[in-house]
Amino acid sequence: MSNELVTTMQQLLVLEQLHKSYGSVKVTDDISLSLAPGEALGIIGPNGAGKSTLFNLISGGVSADSGRILLAGQDVTREPVFKRCRRGVGRSHQIPHPFVKMTVFENLLVGAAFGANQTEKASYDWCAHVLELTGLIRKANVLAGSLTLLERKRLEMARALATRPRLLLLDEIAGGLTEPECLELVETIQGIHRGGTAIIWIEHIVHALLAVASRLMVINFGRKLDEGEPRAVMSNPRVQEIYLGIGS
Ligand SMILES: Nc1ncnc2c1ncn2[C@@H]1O[C@H](COP(=O)(O)OP(=O)(O)OP(=O)(O)O)[C@@H](O)[C@H]1O
Ligand SMILES: [Mg+2]
């Protein structure tokens, strides 16, 4: 077996030259990426750069025009969402859309029962644990439709965690929160990461992102602009110019 193949097999996630277009617009343009088990990667980029689309491709909601997606060495490029979920991909959506007429606990049970494919007893125990972890335990029996924005964001993350992911995809989970709420959320995400879950977090609030991520990727017009150690990436003049609006 070649060294390259061994390395690929050891990665939790590998994206190989992914492409996705809507009509003539290239939304994902030759993106390649590797993520080790338990690693935390941050993604930034301007509005419409193709960040959420990348999550759709990884989780299976959108299929790639070309390229490959490997999860723990298995090619999942053509697998549907539920199969990838059972392999350990959990995602939160940029706009929370819980089952508003179900309680918080019931919302989690759906993910635990269908996503993680576990017994009813195991699902109950796990969901209670996730509610503790995400600070929602006191809201367990409240209807999801009555939650505040912070609570909805927490629920979005909790629903993803209910599926017992090895890879958690967080899409702008801190947007719209106050600074203290954002700090609370960062602590929760740090706790999930310390527990061994790999995380890819798309976020415009860079300081929150950098409190969790040890690697940063910048996407612009569907292409990878830079990737690497966060401070080095943030000081790249092209990143500053395109993302932060600094420079000539
Ligand atoms: N289903 C679709 N059909 C057509 N165009 C789409 C579709 N989904 C996304 N797009 C377009 O693809 C581009 C990238 O969208 P995407 O949601 O991935 O961007 P983003 O980086 O997540 O942006 P934001 O920061 O605003 O969330 C946008 O121009 C968007 O309008
Ligand atoms: Mg988005």
Side-chain angles (χ1 to χ4, degrees), residues 47-48 50-53 94 171-172 202 204:
N47 293 116
K51 306 179 297 298
S52 297
T53 301
Q94 190 167 349
D171 196 349
E172 298 200 27
I202 295 169
H204 287 295

Side-chain angles (χ1 to χ4, degrees), residues 21 32 48 116 119 138 189:
S21 295
S32 296
T119 65
R138 283 184 299 129
I189 297 169

Side-chain angles (χ1 to χ4, degrees), residues 212-228:
V212 174
S214 55
R215 194 149 58 98
L216 195 61
M217 176 163 84
V218 186
I219 299 179
N220 192 36
F221 293 113
R223 289 188 75 88
K224 190 193 290 188
L225 181 68
D226 199 2
E227 181 199 342

Side-chain angles (χ1 to χ4, degrees), residues 2 5 15 21 31 50 102 122 125 179 185 230 241 247:
S2 72
L5 187 56
L15 308 181
S21 295
I31 297 269
M102 291 167 76
D125 292 348
E179 186 60 23
L185 197 71
E241 186 182 331

Side-chain angles (χ1 to χ4, degrees), residues 58-199:
I58 296 169
S59 60
V62 162
S63 54
D65 295 337
S66 61
R68 287 208 309 164
I69 302 169
L70 307 179
L71 268 174
Q74 301 289 308
D75 188 337
V76 301
T77 315
R78 300 288 153 214
E79 274 191 1
V81 173
F82 80 93
K83 284 202 178 159
R84 297 195 208 184
C85 181
R86 287 187 179 168
R87 286 186 190 274
V89 179
R91 80 166 287 185
S92 78
H93 291 86
Q94 190 167 349
I95 299 167
H97 42 77
F99 302 113
V100 289
K101 293 190 175 163
M102 291 167 76
T103 67
V104 167
F105 193 70
E106 287 165 346
N107 264 272
L108 264 63
L109 273 181
V110 174
F114 294 103
N117 198 21
Q118 52 192 345
T119 65
E120 199 176 323
K121 167 80 172 80
S123 296
Y124 272 71
D125 292 348
W126 178 248
C127 289
H129 172 67
V130 169
L131 287 180
E132 287 279 7
L133 202 66
T134 52
L136 282 172
I137 194 73
R138 283 184 299 129
K139 298 285 174 178
N141 296 318
V142 163
L143 288 183
S146 70
L147 297 180
T148 65
L149 178 64
L150 173 63
E151 289 164 349
R152 279 178 185 241
K153 299 249 176 183
R154 285 182 178 279
L155 177 56
E156 194 56 34
M157 190 164 60
R159 286 186 347 141
L161 286 172
T163 67
R164 291 183 178 267
R166 282 191 286 172
L167 170 61
L168 178 64
L169 306 175
L170 297 173
D171 196 349
E172 298 200 27
I173 200 98
L177 301 183
T178 64
E179 186 60 23
E181 286 174 339
C182 185
L183 286 174
E184 259 186 56
L185 197 71
V186 163
E187 280 176 22
T188 304
I189 297 169
Q190 284 172 330
I192 293 163
H193 183 225
R194 276 195 300 273
T197 307
I199 295 176

